[in-house]
């Protein structure tokens, strides 16, 4: 799937160019939420392999949608997730027809042992990169040369996520929801871009929103679309500080006039690492079509909820084969790769996570690609991801992160790569 030989040849060619003009590099800050050193060579992916994987990846999103339906229909599934009264109230307040994963970034690895794609996380609450990924692709093509023909919306010029939000209503009023003291580059850029495109748009703290006759309102103005950029971890902390938000949001959601992206079913259920275990449970697999079961079987590493009993025993005994993931985390802080820890630290983290909704997932060693950092004399092999952006279940783009460490996350060090299909 990853074209190593072509990447190495391109890296040798571009390493001879010398450092890029700092004035050119300075403009890269517009698509970075956290600074990272740019890589001159995009991740080169075999387009035939992408075409082969695409139907299965898109089918997997329908599996997540079916999981949301199962939660609504089945008391045992609700009890298994055990999300708590606030989450349950917010999920139930939304119209049943809106229980969908509208925007997600499925984070995957190409398995170093088999060359096959594996999906490790769903990112179904407010995934980063929806705006910045196509801008990174364009910057790298403009600065160091285009590679391959653009095939997906995020590989072309433009802002497909802006297009997506603007089609939600004829003349939408769009509100990007972000904690007042936490607005970051991508949220600010999204607001500026929507405004430049002629949309009515605002950046607001959720505590500024009220429930109106049709749905959410901001300063008395009805809101058509909310892009909720508050991830699950800070959202839970906000509700602890401001419990009155729950009834306000429930009233607004129940009136149905505002499209809330992503909705609370996606944010609480599909976003939970527990979902990676839930879709592998035999009772849930029985609900699926053969194609959906095949997507789960081939894409997901074995993932189990960390409960007392056999799973806990296995987790304690097989540190190097497993990854511990908290139910919700951000920036990789809640991910513990067993082989990167001492046995003492691993056992302590496992013990602390039992019964919390955390999961243990079979470790997948990712493929290593040659990464050429700007100004470096040669490429270095690093672990990398292959991430799939989907809007309403359709693939719109590919992304990648690379790192020397086990946790391939920009906030844990490393870089973000442009991706080109060739």
């Amino acid at each position: 799937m990853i074209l190593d030989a072509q990447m190495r040849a391109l890296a040798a060619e571009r390493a001879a160019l010398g450092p890029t003009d700092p004035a050119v590099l300075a403009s890269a800050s517009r698509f970075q939420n956290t600074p990272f050193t740019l890589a001159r060579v995009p991740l080169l992916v075999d387009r035939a392999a992408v075409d082969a994987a695409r139907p299965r990846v898109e089918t997997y999103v329908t599996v997540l949608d079916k999981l949301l339906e199962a939660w609504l229909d089945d008391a045992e599934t609700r009890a298994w997730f055990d999300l708590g009264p606030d989450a349950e109230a917010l999920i139930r307040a939304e119209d049943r027809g809106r229980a969908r994963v509208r925007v997600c970034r499925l984070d995957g690895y190409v398995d170093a042992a088999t060359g096959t794609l594996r999906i490790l996380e769903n990112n179904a609450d407010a995934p980063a990169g929806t705006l910045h990924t196509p801008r990174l692709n364009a910057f790298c093509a403009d600065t160091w040369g285009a590679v391959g023909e653009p095939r997906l919306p995020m590989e072309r010029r433009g802002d497909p996520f802006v297009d997506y939000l603007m089609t939600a209503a004829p003349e939408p009023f769009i509100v990007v929801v972000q904690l007042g003291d936490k607005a970051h580059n991508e949220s600010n850029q999204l607001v500026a871009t929507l405004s430049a495109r002629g949309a009515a748009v605002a950046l607001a703290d959720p505590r500024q929103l009220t429930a109106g006759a049709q749905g959410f309102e901001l300063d008395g103005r009805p809101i058509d679309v909310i892009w909720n950029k508050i991830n699950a971890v800070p959202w839970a902390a906000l509700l602890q500080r401001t419990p009155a938000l729950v009834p306000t949001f429930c009233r607004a959601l129940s009136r149905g006039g505002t499209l809330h992206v992503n909705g609370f079913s996606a944010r609480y259920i599909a976003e939970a690492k527990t979902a990676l275990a839930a879709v592998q449970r035999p009772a849930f697999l029985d609900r699926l079509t053969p194609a959906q079961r095949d997507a789960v079987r081939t894409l997901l590493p074995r993932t189990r909820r960390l409960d007392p009993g056999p799973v806990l025993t296995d987790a304690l005994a097989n540190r190097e084969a497993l990854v511990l993931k908290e139910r919700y985390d951000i920036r990789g802080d809640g991910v513990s790769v067993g082989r990167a820890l001492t046995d003492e630290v691993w056992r302590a983290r496992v013990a602390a996570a039992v019964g919390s909704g955390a999961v243990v997932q079979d470790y997948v060693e990712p493929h290593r690609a040659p990464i050429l950092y700007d100004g470096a004399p040669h490429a270095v092999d690093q672990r990398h991801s292959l991430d799939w952006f989907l809007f309403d279940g359709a693939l719109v783009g590919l992304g990648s992160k690379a790192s020397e460490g086990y946790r391939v996350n920009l906030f844990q060090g490393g870089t973000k790569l442009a991706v080109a299909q060739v």
Side-chain angles (χ1 to χ4, degrees):
M1 181 173 274
I2 309 302
L3 302 176
D4 293 78
Q6 293 187 39
M7 288 186 69
R8 292 186 192 284
L10 190 58
E13 176 185 316
R14 292 184 174 179
L17 297 176
T20 303
D21 184 342
V24 173
L25 294 180
S27 67
S29 61
R30 65 188 174 87
F31 54 76
Q32 295 178 336
N33 283 330
T34 187
F36 56 88
T37 304
L38 288 161
R40 282 181 163 179
V41 175
L43 186 73
L44 300 185
V45 185
D46 181 357
R47 65 185 182 188
V50 172
D51 290 341
R54 178 174 182 168
R56 187 173 290 124
V57 171
E58 292 180 341
T59 296
Y60 176 67
V61 179
T62 71
V63 172
L64 297 180
D65 286 343
K66 192 162 283 191
L67 179 64
L68 308 188
E69 294 175 5
W71 189 94
L72 291 169
D73 292 338
D74 181 20
E76 193 277 334
T77 300
R78 291 193 293 276
W80 193 84
F81 270 91
D82 189 23
L83 295 176
D86 287 347
E88 293 206 4
L90 290 164
I91 294 168
R92 290 187 175 282
E94 292 180 325
D95 179 77
R96 183 185 182 89
R98 291 186 170 180
R100 295 170 51 199
V101 177
R102 294 182 178 275
V103 176
C104 64
R105 188 194 71 229
L106 303 177
D107 285 359
Y109 284 170
V110 175
D111 189 325
T114 64
T116 56
L117 174 68
R118 309 292 271 168
I119 297 298
L120 279 70
E121 297 188 1
N122 297 329
N123 292 297
D125 62 352
T130 48
L131 185 75
H132 283 171
T133 297
R135 296 183 172 191
L136 170 65
N137 289 338
F139 176 89
C140 292
D142 290 343
T143 305
W144 298 300
V147 182
E149 292 294 326
R151 305 176 75 228
L152 294 169
M154 284 188 173
E155 297 166 1
R156 306 184 189 113
R157 305 287 166 165
D159 292 308
F161 186 56
V162 172
D163 299 336
Y164 178 80
L165 293 177
M166 290 186 69
T167 58
E171 294 182 358
F173 176 38
I174 302 170
V175 174
V176 179
V177 173
Q178 186 81 68
L179 292 173
D181 59 345
K182 299 292 185 182
H184 54 61
N185 192 2
E186 194 164 36
S187 292
N188 291 330
Q189 289 283 331
L190 179 59
V191 169
T193 304
L194 284 163
S195 179
R197 291 274 293 272
V201 60
L203 181 68
D205 186 284
R207 290 161 289 197
Q208 297 175 263
L209 306 185
T210 57
Q214 301 300 316
F216 287 94
E217 294 184 354
L218 178 64
D219 297 331
R221 181 174 184 177
I223 301 170
D224 296 296
V225 184
I226 286 173
W227 171 232
N228 191 335
K229 270 301 292 177
I230 305 174
N231 294 103
V233 173
W235 176 259
L238 175 65
L239 292 189
Q240 286 188 331
R241 298 193 304 271
T242 320
L245 272 180
V246 175
T248 298
F249 267 63
C250 285
R251 286 195 301 273
L253 290 165
S254 66
R255 290 163 188 169
T258 303
L259 177 60
H260 178 241
V261 185
N262 268 338
F264 283 109
S265 57
R267 300 175 67 82
Y268 276 114
I269 302 168
E271 170 64 20
K273 304 300 189 294
T274 328
L276 301 162
V279 298
Q280 298 184 51
R281 299 174 73 207
F284 178 75
L285 290 170
D286 287 343
R287 294 173 172 260
L288 304 182
T289 67
Q292 290 172 326
R293 285 194 292 271
D294 179 68
V296 172
R297 178 183 61 82
T298 58
L299 290 175
L300 295 188
R302 184 183 61 154
T303 309
R304 297 161 293 163
R305 191 178 64 179
L306 182 59
D307 294 332
V311 178
L312 173 58
T313 300
D314 181 59
L316 293 172
N318 293 290
R319 168 179 59 83
E320 293 200 354
L322 297 171
V323 179
L324 172 67
K325 296 186 173 183
E326 295 177 9
R327 178 158 64 175
Y328 303 111
D329 83 306
I330 187 171
R331 298 175 175 176
D333 292 336
V335 176
S336 299
V337 180
R339 62 186 58 196
L341 303 174
T342 65
D343 195 57
E344 181 182 10
V345 170
W346 170 257
R347 293 177 73 87
R349 291 186 184 179
V350 168
V354 175
S356 68
V359 299
V360 284
Q361 186 177 76
D362 286 358
Y363 177 76
V364 177
E365 177 61 35
H367 174 271
R368 295 176 184 243
I371 310 302
L372 178 68
Y373 288 106
D374 186 74
H378 54 77
V380 292
D381 287 354
Q382 292 190 343
R383 298 180 179 91
H384 69 88
S385 67
L386 182 60
D387 308 330
W388 303 67
F389 289 89
L390 297 102
F391 298 166
D392 286 337
L395 180 65
V396 294
L398 300 168
S400 182
K401 304 173 290 290
S403 175
E404 293 181 1
Y406 282 102
R407 290 183 293 176
V408 182
N409 186 295
L410 284 183
F411 288 87
Q412 305 296 334
T415 190
K416 184 172 171 64
L417 303 174
V419 179
Q421 298 183 60
V422 296

